[in-house]
Amino acid sequence: MPNPKAYSELNNPTNNPPHDIDSDDDDLDLQELDPFSESNSYSIRGRTSKEELRNYQERHGLFPLRNLPAGSSERYADQFRSFSKGSHYEEHGGSSHGVEDGQESQRVSQGELEFGDEAPLLQSGNTTERRRNKHERGSFDAAGLASRLRLPSFMSNPPRLTSSNSQDEPNSGQSNDASAEARTIAVGRSQTTRFPPNIVSNAKYTPWSFLPRTLYNEFKFFFNMYFLLVALSQVIPVLRIGYLSTYIVPLVFVLSITLGKEAIDDVARRRRDAESNSEGYTILDFKSRPSSLYRDAKEGLQQGTDASARLLGADGANSSRPLHYPIINVPEKIVRSRDLKVGDVLKIQKDQRVPADIIILKSVTVESKIADGIPETQEEQEAAKGVVDLLPESSNTSDQATSSESSGADDGKGDTFIRTDQLDGETDWKLRLASPLTQALAISEFPRLQIIAGKPDKNVNEFIGNVQLEPITGTPSPDHPMRSLQPTETKKSAPLTIDNTAWANTVLASSSTTYAVVIYTGTQTRSALSTSASRSKTGLLEFEINNLTKILCALTFALSIILVALEQVQSTKKEKEKWYVEIMVYLILFSTIIPISLRVNLDMGKSVYSWFIERDPGIPDTVVRTSTIPEELGRVEYLLTDKTGTLTQNEMELKKIHIGTVSYANDAMDEVTSYVRQAFSTDSNQPKLLITPSTSSSTAAAAGSTTRTRREIGSRVRDVVLALALCHNVTPTTEDENGQKIVSYQASSPDEIAIVRWTENVGLRLVHRDRQSMALQSTDDGHVAVRVRILDIFPFTSEGKRMGIIVQFFQDDDAASANQENGEIWFYQKGADTVMSTIVAANDWLDEETANMAREGLRTLVVGRKKLSPQQYAEFSSSYKEASLALTGRDDGMARVVRDHLERDLELLGVTGVEDRLQRDVKPSLELLRNAGVKIWMLTGDKVETARCVAISAKLVARGQYIHTIAKLNRKDLAQDSLDFIRSKTDACLLIDGDSLSLMLYYFRDDFISLTVRLPAVIACRCSPTQKADLANLIREYTRKRICCIGDGGNDVSMIQAADVGVGIVGKEGRQASLAADFSITQFCHLTKLLVWHGRNSYKRSAKLAQFVMHRGLIISVCQTFYSIASHFEPNALFLNWLLVGYATVYTMAPVFSLVLDKDVDESLANLYPELYKELKTGRSLSYKTFFIWVAISIYQGGMIQGLSQILVAVEGPQMVAVSFTALILNELIMVAFEITTWHPLMIASLVGTGALYFGSIPFLGDYFDLAYVASLAFVWRVLAISAVALIPPYVVKLTRRTLKPPSYRKVRGL
């Protein structure tokens, strides 16, 4: 019979994909890998019998390799090949003895001879007395480290056997790279190597890079460079026109505004980073332990306290139980996250974020703290202080250590769960384990540990390292003040894998206290390496305006050349300026064509839009972190969204259950509760008997008060509830909250937790679970109704898509009863309908019901069972054990045994439907965005089946839409076939996993992107953070469209930063995405308002504002042109000094800027007609067509104003300047009024106020105007006549166009 301990979460398939074993590796003797093999070298308190060893295994939950479930032996074989015999794993308290140094230098292990030394993280060489002395002093010896580390094979050239396969070492190159960058970490002590600080930074600039980068970002735009050259030209006397400040001050003002906004945004990012970096964490302070903790404890023993007895043994000093290590109460202190250093030992509690990459050393539950030797009360702490002096001087130190370590391992398994959805997007909890070597070690002994780890890497699914326990020196020191302990010569070591790690931004999910050492900090953490560098984002509108200014500059240059040419022809002056000088002067005169105030208006407008967004009550707590791109929200064509925490809440709930003849959901669950209460509850006057499937059925048959049909339904309901309560990997834990005991559940899958919670709600609670047994309690009367022994468990794998368990039911609570060995044996299994349909017995309803649930977006699980006789189970057990010992094809053989003996004609019990709760209003939000023409891609690190269900339930996929799935592609021809199919069905939704995506992008990059961007929806599963960012970049580069990425986790940061618009949701477990994003929101549904309403307004307003500012600059340049022509092509300025500056500022700026308050539709219409958003993506609001229309208007109005002024007044003089300038101001104010769609009180105030300001300032313009003429009636009628000629024709044309071809906003408004 397989060992029950084959059920072990060490074997979590989610974290550890199966490895293929080459034929070269199969030659390795299994005995070499089995820590319990008789041939293996071990020592537990000297010579230990085989029976004692087995008992020790039972106490510690340890197991030999041959008893591992499918795939485990291969995995551990890979781990052991990474280490030589010098670091063989030894099950002595879960530790591993290293081979003594003298022996190590004189022999070569068989593993080395067969495979060569390809493991860089190993110990070897002689340990000298000098090095020992250095370790006693707590110092770090780099040379000693080098001697204890083996060099890679290409450097050390170890002897090896000639083999035909010797050149095909699968991972040799990788090992060599890791060796070159290996780091040794002294746990709880100072490090000799400098490591980066543990600082999170989302800032774009440093104090040194701010000015260079911001100035480059500004002057890379043509019009900024143009004005810089114009301003610098005024230093040259021959080119100077007016005051130098006229050109310098506006440029400096514009740059100050822009740089100031960037500085404010970056300072805000730094403040938010400072909040994250200031989060407090508890570390163990080994350096400041007071020596008074090690005082004589005889006084404590003489007091006869229970605490002393507990610490020394059940019977005090004379107990037969081995003496424990002295328990030291290590001081703790709270430090900021930024102050954490490599080597610090963290104390992490449930729901606490992991601040850096760590190695788990020890995990302690509340129940096991005393067993682990952690004093809780003051009485225990006082007794602990005296234990050290009571240890016999002659006792063997190694034995004492063993006793102490084993005490900790008796109750603490060292396992803990973490949530990684902020790192890789996966919703399943991950099991993490402390190395048995460190789990069994007293906390005060952590400074004896050294961690050898590889170079920093962004691969979150791989890690190779080694932990070493330094021998006790026997000499008192600040770190090891144990005077009675004699020195030990043996150094212990054990391998470290991904199972022993927790990366930064993961969250501890277990209700245990976890002690861990920091190995990577800051920029070297996995999450930081997977995150792309923050970049400065520039909106598409900026580039469009930049292109338009280039056209204006070309027009200006052409006009200057024409005027100079005409001047050269007609001028009769003998002394002329050089022609190129005159061209430069004209360029400076016409520089207002490209108005420098354009950037000021646009930047100030963006600040206004950001202010509107942050103070919108409809989207509370929204934060604009990048205020330079709000108009980009109105141009989004592709939305790339995360799933977990973004579309879903990652909270599972069982919504529906079908048992073949009837379905239960919502209020009907009360009927299920009544059936369960009837089956598992007993009267108070009856004996409390345990329930088995047979007794449950007989109880149902005995209930004669109900009809036969109802009895049958009740029996089926009870059977499926019992199956769901037993077939899982869930462990109940008890927590104290406000003085109350709260039971919570831990498992690697939230689906299983949801099912177990449902069984509790309907009346059957899981109250106990360990590796051997399980107990279920009736919630109605509180007695244990079901108790089973776990015989075998078959964990869920992504390939098998099912999990099973074999249990034997207890018939009474007497554990010693002879009836326990004769209990009923049942095999329960649940899994996906695609695999379970061929395992369960023939039926006519399974396919239909699973399809119905899938259409509702529920995650379906089919449940079945099979009763096994003792003979059947014995046959299976024997075959399964034999298959588990095979050296070749072990996984396939074990799966075949399960398939042949168990997975045949299971009784179909029912189908469950579990819902992953969606965020609020996700369905209508996605539908609105889809109607707005936004193509939605869902990128997630979760499983294919999970993503499919969420896509359906969220209506990302339309009802009845075909979903084409591409998964596990490993051949180029198959990828080509999939592309051909997509090409022929462009209305389908594509579902692709990460491996297939990598294959597609490697072989068919352009074809894949060109096809998928045309699909209505794409779902990418098992995506790494880098793949998410790569997809965002690929879509943007190929389509040249605006990309919006939204996520809530640290794994989404790279994607968010790669997008044109990054939106972060404030998640439950962290704010990494929110801090790195351009816009931070609290709910996914807020995105629709952000895009459809604020995005629309920001883009429409910026487009109108930019064109009007260019019109304002162009019209005054046209006036200058007409004046130059009338002045015989002389490059003389029409408006000088204040008139030129005042025109662009106080006389027109407020009315023009008030356009940022305009809106063409209200919010309700924008949401009612999301199709209005589609036209924004075409860029019609600011296009070459609209630009040249405004150019034509400017030429007409400028020509009429200046031409008529010169005709009606004079060619030059203050009277003409007064008429021309006044008509120009009136023209701009009235044109602003013509452009307004929806009036705002501030618009009226700005128009009236600016007009009053201008006419009020005329008396102060005597240097430019003829004030006496201005006060005459002749001035008034000329100004009015010129203004009417300039304004009426363009307005008539505009009304005609609006009537013949009304814009969309007028149609929906009914205008």
Side-chain angles (χ1 to χ4, degrees):
M1 182 179 76
N3 194 324
K5 297 186 177 52
Y7 166 51
S8 170
E9 284 105 334
L10 273 168
N11 220 13
N12 192 331
T14 305
N15 297 334
N16 304 285
H19 297 284
D20 294 332
I21 304 299
D22 298 331
S23 60
D24 182 30
D25 297 338
D26 292 338
D27 296 333
L28 184 63
D29 188 356
L30 181 65
Q31 300 297 323
E32 294 177 6
L33 303 182
D34 192 348
F36 299 128
S37 172
E38 294 181 7
S39 62
N40 229 6
S41 169
Y42 54 82
S43 172
I44 301 183
R45 306 184 199 97
R47 301 181 61 86
T48 308
S49 69
K50 189 173 183 178
E51 184 61 27
E52 290 174 337
L53 178 59
R54 292 300 173 189
N55 293 335
Y56 183 80
Q57 299 168 24
E58 292 288 309
R59 292 199 314 273
H60 289 262
L62 303 173
F63 50 89
L65 285 174
R66 53 179 170 271
N67 289 338
L68 286 174
S72 300
S73 299
E74 287 86 346
R75 171 186 158 209
Y76 276 88
D78 287 348
Q79 292 184 14
F80 277 92
R81 286 190 194 95
S82 299
F83 297 89
S84 71
K85 293 290 183 68
S87 58
H88 260 331
Y89 188 80
E90 187 225 19
E91 300 295 344
H92 168 41
S95 66
S96 67
H97 276 299
V99 178
E100 292 186 7
D101 296 333
Q103 299 173 356
E104 176 64 23
S105 61
Q106 297 174 11
R107 65 177 178 85
V108 180
S109 69
Q110 181 179 348
E112 292 172 358
L113 294 176
E114 274 191 37
F115 303 100
D117 186 2
E118 297 299 336
L121 305 178
L122 308 182
Q123 60 176 11
S124 67
N126 293 324
T127 306
T128 64
E129 186 65 29
R130 176 182 54 82
R131 193 183 309 133
R132 254 186 229 113
N133 293 336
K134 288 190 176 183
H135 284 298
E136 291 171 11
R137 295 192 301 270
S139 63
F140 181 86
D141 188 357
L145 170 62
S147 67
R148 292 194 302 274
L149 283 175
R150 289 188 185 169
L151 295 175
S153 57
F154 69 90
M155 297 175 66
S156 60
N157 295 322
R160 43 188 305 180
L161 295 178
T162 305
S163 171
S164 59
N165 296 332
S166 61
Q167 295 178 356
D168 299 328
E169 295 291 326
N171 296 318
S172 59
Q174 183 178 1
S175 297
N176 291 338
D177 291 342
S179 175
E181 299 292 338
R183 60 174 62 183
T184 298
I185 301 163
V187 177
R189 291 173 281 164
S190 300
Q191 311 300 314
T192 58
T193 305
R194 292 179 61 90
F195 298 107
N198 192 48
I199 295 176
V200 176
S201 177
N202 291 293
K204 293 182 180 179
Y205 311 104
T206 65
W208 299 272
S209 67
F210 175 74
L211 275 179
R213 289 185 60 184
T214 51
L215 290 177
Y216 169 77
N217 290 333
E218 290 303 309
F219 289 114
K220 71 180 180 182
F221 290 103
F222 175 79
F223 54 85
N224 278 348
M225 181 59 68
Y226 177 82
F227 276 110
L228 177 63
L229 296 176
V230 169
L232 293 177
S233 69
Q234 297 304 289
V235 179
I236 305 174
V238 71
L239 300 178
R240 184 174 300 170
I241 300 175
Y243 297 117
L244 181 63
S245 58
T246 305
Y247 298 90
I248 296 295
V249 172
L251 179 63
V252 173
F253 179 71
V254 169
L255 293 178
S256 300
I257 292 292
T258 305
L259 269 62
K261 286 177 78 283
E262 284 291 320
I264 292 173
D265 289 345
D266 213 50
V267 168
R269 292 189 195 97
R270 289 184 175 275
R271 287 176 179 171
R272 290 186 290 270
D273 289 341
E275 294 178 6
S276 178
N277 293 327
S278 298
E279 187 176 355
Y281 287 90
T282 301
I283 67 170
L284 303 183
D285 189 7
F286 294 98
K287 301 176 183 178
S288 61
R289 290 184 296 176
S291 58
S292 61
L293 290 174
Y294 310 100
R295 68 191 183 190
D296 187 81
K298 293 182 180 179
E299 297 177 0
L301 287 177
Q302 292 172 357
Q303 295 173 3
T305 61
D306 293 337
S308 300
R310 282 199 299 273
L311 290 170
L312 290 177
D315 301 322
N318 297 322
S319 172
S320 60
R321 180 178 177 181
L323 289 174
H324 289 190
Y325 247 141
I327 306 304
I328 308 303
N329 189 19
V330 180
E332 299 175 354
K333 67 177 181 180
I334 297 178
V335 300
R336 297 178 300 176
S337 174
R338 65 179 300 151
D339 295 329
L340 291 175
K341 297 179 176 60
V342 172
D344 285 347
V345 178
L346 283 170
K347 179 182 178 182
I348 307 176
Q349 308 285 354
K350 182 181 179 182
D351 293 330
Q352 196 169 13
R353 181 182 69 88
V354 177
D357 290 355
I358 59 175
I359 293 290
I360 297 174
L361 300 178
K362 192 181 190 72
S363 180
V364 184
T365 60
V366 176
E367 293 82 359
S368 65
K369 280 189 176 181
I370 296 179
D372 273 344
I374 301 176
E376 288 291 327
T377 65
Q378 183 67 26
E379 181 186 17
E380 292 176 354
Q381 292 178 11
E382 290 296 327
K385 297 176 183 178
V387 177
V388 61
D389 290 331
L390 295 177
L391 295 176
E393 294 291 339
S394 61
S395 62
N396 183 278
T397 304
S398 177
D399 292 347
Q400 295 167 15
T402 301
S403 303
S404 173
E405 292 164 5
S406 64
S407 70
D410 284 340
D411 295 305
K413 298 185 293 294
D415 54 359
T416 187
F417 284 97
I418 61 172
R419 294 195 295 268
T420 63
D421 51 343
Q422 295 289 307
L423 183 68
D424 56 18
E426 295 189 19
T427 57
D428 292 354
W429 292 5
K430 304 295 189 304
L431 177 69
R432 290 295 185 260
L433 300 152
S435 171
L437 175 62
T438 59
Q439 175 68 22
L441 193 65
I443 294 176
S444 58
E445 292 301 292
F446 283 171
R448 292 173 54 198
L449 295 172
Q450 280 192 340
I451 304 291
I452 301 179
K455 63 180 180 180
D457 190 0
K458 67 179 180 181
N459 191 336
V460 298
N461 295 318
E462 291 183 5
F463 177 77
I464 296 177
N466 188 6
V467 57
Q468 297 179 348
L469 179 62
E470 296 294 330
I472 299 175
T473 61
T475 303
S477 70
D479 286 336
H480 310 291
M482 302 178 186
R483 297 184 298 276
S484 61
L485 300 183
Q486 297 182 3
T488 59
E489 300 297 334
T490 304
K491 178 185 293 185
K492 306 172 186 177
S493 62
L496 296 174
T497 67
I498 186 67
D499 290 339
N500 309 118
T501 65
W503 304 136
N505 296 328
T506 58
V507 178
L508 187 68
S510 298
S511 57
S512 59
T513 300
T514 299
Y515 296 92
V517 60
V518 177
I519 58 171
Y520 302 116
T521 54
T523 56
Q524 293 184 346
T525 61
R526 293 301 203 263
S527 59
L529 292 173
S530 300
T531 303
S532 58
S534 179
R535 65 185 181 92
S536 297
K537 297 182 180 180
T538 304
L540 181 60
L541 187 73
E542 300 278 1
F543 292 104
E544 292 173 343
I545 293 175
N546 194 53
N547 291 333
L548 296 180
T549 55
K550 292 178 182 178
I551 297 176
L552 289 176
C553 183
L555 292 176
T556 303
F557 187 69
L559 182 60
S560 301
I561 292 176
I562 292 173
L563 292 178
V564 170
L566 293 175
E567 191 270 337
Q568 293 290 330
V569 172
Q570 295 188 6
S571 178
T572 58
K573 292 183 179 180
K574 295 183 179 180
E575 294 183 2
K576 299 179 181 179
E577 293 287 350
K578 299 292 184 179
W579 63 268
Y580 52 83
V581 174
E582 293 186 346
I583 291 178
M584 292 296 297
V585 172
Y586 271 117
L587 286 174
I588 296 170
L589 286 174
F590 295 149
S591 62
T592 52
I593 288 182
I594 308 173
I596 194 170
S597 59
L598 176 61
R599 286 305 306 272
V600 177
N601 283 274
L602 288 178
D603 289 343
M604 293 177 61
K606 292 173 182 178
S607 299
V608 173
Y609 310 148
S610 301
W611 189 87
F612 285 151
I613 292 172
E614 292 185 336
R615 283 158 181 78
D616 189 338
I619 48 175
D621 300 323
T622 298
V623 179
V624 180
R625 306 199 189 282
T626 305
S627 58
T628 58
I629 55 172
E631 68 279 350
E632 291 296 278
L633 295 169
R635 311 288 294 277
V636 172
E637 189 148 347
Y638 290 91
L639 175 64
L640 276 58
T641 175
D642 179 42
K643 179 188 73 68
T644 307
T646 303
L647 298 180
T648 68
Q649 302 179 34
N650 196 24
E651 295 180 2
M652 309 298 174
E653 181 182 8
L654 194 148
K655 302 288 290 185
K656 193 174 185 180
I657 185 170
H658 196 285
I659 60 172
T661 56
V662 64
S663 178
Y664 297 96
N666 302 324
D667 295 338
M669 291 296 183
D670 294 337
E671 189 173 351
V672 176
T673 304
S674 66
Y675 286 131
V676 174
R677 183 183 300 112
Q678 182 181 359
F680 297 100
S681 299
T682 58
D683 296 335
S684 58
N685 56 357
Q686 293 181 353
K688 307 296 185 181
L689 300 177
L690 295 180
I691 305 298
T692 67
S694 299
T695 59
S696 177
S697 300
S698 62
T699 302
S705 60
T706 58
T707 64
R708 179 180 178 182
T709 302
R710 183 169 178 80
R711 287 198 303 270
E712 291 178 351
I713 293 175
S715 177
R716 294 184 64 86
V717 168
R718 288 185 288 271
D719 288 341
V720 73
V721 171
L722 180 59
L724 292 173
L726 293 174
C727 188
H728 53 72
N729 277 321
V730 180
T731 302
T733 60
T734 303
E735 304 174 11
D736 285 327
E737 290 186 8
N738 300 325
Q740 295 181 349
K741 296 288 186 180
I742 304 297
V743 177
S744 61
Y745 298 110
Q746 294 179 2
S748 62
S749 172
D751 295 59
E752 291 197 323
I753 294 178
I755 292 175
V756 172
R757 281 177 178 163
W758 177 81
T759 62
E760 179 183 359
N761 292 334
V762 298
L764 202 57
R765 177 188 295 124
L766 175 68
V767 293
H768 171 74
R769 168 70 177 266
D770 56 29
R771 300 186 182 185
Q772 291 82 29
S773 63
M774 205 183 319
L776 305 178
Q777 180 189 66
S778 171
T779 58
D780 187 45
D781 57 14
H783 87 283
V784 175
V786 179
R787 192 183 299 276
V788 299
R789 175 186 292 115
I790 300 174
L791 301 180
D792 289 283
I793 192 165
F794 313 100
F796 177 90
T797 64
S798 57
E799 291 79 18
K801 299 181 181 179
R802 60 192 183 276
M803 72 86 57
I805 187 172
I806 300 178
V807 297
Q808 185 177 32
F809 285 84
F810 290 168
Q811 298 180 359
D812 54 61
D813 275 331
D814 185 4
S817 173
N819 292 330
Q820 306 302 0
E821 296 300 328
N822 300 322
E824 301 176 18
I825 300 176
W826 287 83
F827 169 60
Y828 291 100
Q829 191 171 54
K830 67 182 179 184
D833 58 287
T834 54
V835 295
M836 292 294 293
S837 59
T838 61
I839 295 175
V840 298
N843 61 88
D844 58 357
W845 59 271
L846 178 60
D847 293 339
E848 180 181 356
E849 289 305 322
T850 53
N852 291 337
M853 290 187 183
R855 279 191 290 271
E856 297 176 23
L858 301 179
R859 303 160 71 163
T860 58
L861 283 176
V862 179
V863 187
R865 70 175 182 177
K866 183 177 184 178
K867 187 174 183 179
L868 303 176
S869 65
Q871 295 76 16
Q872 288 176 318
Y873 179 71
E875 292 177 4
F876 160 75
S877 178
S878 176
S879 301
Y880 192 73
K881 181 176 182 180
E882 182 180 353
S884 67
L885 294 176
L887 291 179
T888 59
R890 181 179 303 165
D891 287 347
D892 293 338
M894 297 171 71
R896 189 182 308 110
V897 171
V898 174
R899 186 167 57 250
D900 294 342
H901 288 78
L902 303 178
E903 296 179 340
R904 288 182 180 271
D905 296 329
L906 265 65
E907 177 188 354
L908 177 59
L909 297 179
V911 181
T912 64
V914 177
E915 179 188 50
D916 190 352
R917 291 183 182 177
L918 299 175
Q919 295 279 3
R920 179 170 62 90
D921 294 335
V922 163
K923 295 180 182 179
S925 298
L926 290 176
E927 183 179 3
L928 187 146
L929 292 174
R930 196 162 45 242
N931 293 335
V934 178
K935 295 181 179 179
I936 303 171
W937 289 38
M938 186 173 76
L939 312 181
T940 177
D942 221 329
K943 297 185 290 291
V944 173
E945 295 81 4
T946 305
R948 179 194 294 270
C949 293
V950 171
I952 295 174
S953 62
K955 305 301 180 187
L956 177 63
V957 179
R959 189 178 184 87
Q961 185 178 7
Y962 174 71
I963 302 177
H964 181 63
T965 303
I966 302 177
K968 299 179 182 177
L969 277 184
N970 53 13
R971 286 165 43 192
K972 183 178 179 181
D973 57 334
L974 295 178
Q976 182 63 61
D977 293 341
S978 299
L979 285 177
D980 294 338
F981 180 85
I982 298 173
R983 191 176 285 110
S984 64
K985 199 171 182 64
T986 56
D987 60 341
C989 170
L990 175 63
L991 176 60
I992 186 170
D993 67 356
D995 294 338
S996 303
L997 178 63
S998 299
L999 185 71
M1000 286 286 190
L1001 295 179
Y1002 184 79
Y1003 289 109
F1004 308 104
R1005 187 186 189 90
D1006 294 337
D1007 290 345
F1008 177 75
I1009 292 297
S1010 63
L1011 288 174
T1012 52
V1013 294
R1014 298 203 297 265
L1015 298 178
V1018 176
I1019 305 167
C1021 313
R1022 295 296 189 188
C1023 278
S1024 66
T1026 305
Q1027 282 181 316
K1028 291 183 178 183
D1030 290 343
L1031 279 177
N1033 287 323
L1034 282 173
I1035 296 173
R1036 186 177 69 249
E1037 292 171 4
Y1038 182 84
T1039 63
R1040 303 294 179 184
K1041 304 294 184 181
R1042 298 290 95 179
I1043 310 297
C1044 175
C1045 293
I1046 180 171
D1048 74 315
N1051 61 312
D1052 302 317
V1053 171
S1054 294
M1055 174 180 70
I1056 288 172
Q1057 292 180 339
D1060 298 299
V1061 180
V1063 181
I1065 296 180
V1066 179
K1068 296 180 181 179
E1069 283 83 25
R1071 298 185 298 168
Q1072 295 83 13
S1074 167
L1075 293 174
D1078 304 309
F1079 301 88
S1080 173
I1081 59 178
T1082 57
Q1083 293 284 335
F1084 180 85
C1085 59
H1086 294 169
L1087 180 66
T1088 56
K1089 188 170 188 179
L1090 202 61
L1091 299 182
V1092 176
W1093 175 240
H1094 289 288
R1096 175 184 180 81
N1097 288 338
S1098 299
Y1099 171 63
K1100 296 279 286 186
R1101 291 165 175 171
S1102 289
K1104 182 179 289 187
L1105 179 63
Q1107 292 179 120
F1108 204 93
V1109 171
M1110 285 188 286
H1111 158 75
R1112 186 180 63 185
L1114 191 58
I1115 191 174
I1116 195 173
S1117 297
V1118 172
C1119 293
Q1120 176 65 52
T1121 302
F1122 274 81
Y1123 177 73
S1124 297
I1125 294 174
S1127 303
H1128 305 288
F1129 307 103
E1130 290 291 335
N1132 298 325
L1134 171 61
F1135 305 122
L1136 296 173
N1137 302 330
W1138 169 249
L1139 295 184
L1140 195 62
V1141 175
Y1143 171 76
T1145 54
V1146 296
Y1147 295 149
T1148 61
M1149 186 171 182
V1152 172
F1153 188 71
S1154 69
L1155 293 174
V1156 301
L1157 304 174
D1158 194 18
K1159 57 182 180 181
D1160 52 1
V1161 295
D1162 57 24
E1163 184 178 350
S1164 60
L1165 286 176
N1167 292 325
L1168 185 61
Y1169 299 99
E1171 293 79 6
L1172 291 172
Y1173 190 83
K1174 289 183 179 179
E1175 67 180 17
L1176 301 181
K1177 296 181 294 184
T1178 62
R1180 294 178 182 175
S1181 298
L1182 180 61
S1183 62
Y1184 289 114
K1185 178 181 178 180
T1186 59
F1187 168 71
F1188 283 111
I1189 290 175
W1190 277 104
V1191 169
I1193 294 174
S1194 300
I1195 292 175
Y1196 170 78
Q1197 291 183 332
M1200 290 299 101
I1201 291 173
Q1202 187 60 32
L1204 291 177
S1205 297
Q1206 293 175 170
I1207 292 173
L1208 296 179
V1209 182
V1211 173
E1212 57 184 16
Q1215 294 182 357
M1216 184 275 296
V1217 171
V1219 171
S1220 176
F1221 191 77
T1222 303
L1224 185 63
I1225 296 297
L1226 286 178
N1227 182 83
E1228 291 306 289
L1229 297 181
I1230 297 174
M1231 281 295 291
V1232 170
F1234 287 169
E1235 289 302 311
I1236 293 175
T1237 304
T1238 303
W1239 285 89
H1240 189 279
L1242 290 179
M1243 294 177 172
I1244 300 174
S1246 64
L1247 285 171
V1248 175
T1250 300
L1253 177 64
Y1254 171 71
F1255 286 107
S1257 66
I1258 288 180
F1260 303 98
L1261 301 178
D1263 293 340
Y1264 311 103
F1265 295 168
D1266 184 344
L1267 297 181
Y1269 179 74
V1270 170
S1272 65
L1273 185 61
F1275 170 81
V1276 175
W1277 76 261
R1278 284 176 172 80
V1279 169
L1280 293 177
I1282 293 172
S1283 299
V1285 173
L1287 289 169
I1288 293 177
Y1291 186 68
V1292 171
V1293 173
K1294 180 178 180 179
L1295 289 178
T1296 305
R1297 289 181 64 250
R1298 184 183 297 173
T1299 303
L1300 297 178
K1301 190 178 180 181
S1304 300
Y1305 74 87
R1306 294 185 64 85
K1307 293 178 183 179
V1308 300
R1309 292 178 62 180
L1311 300 178

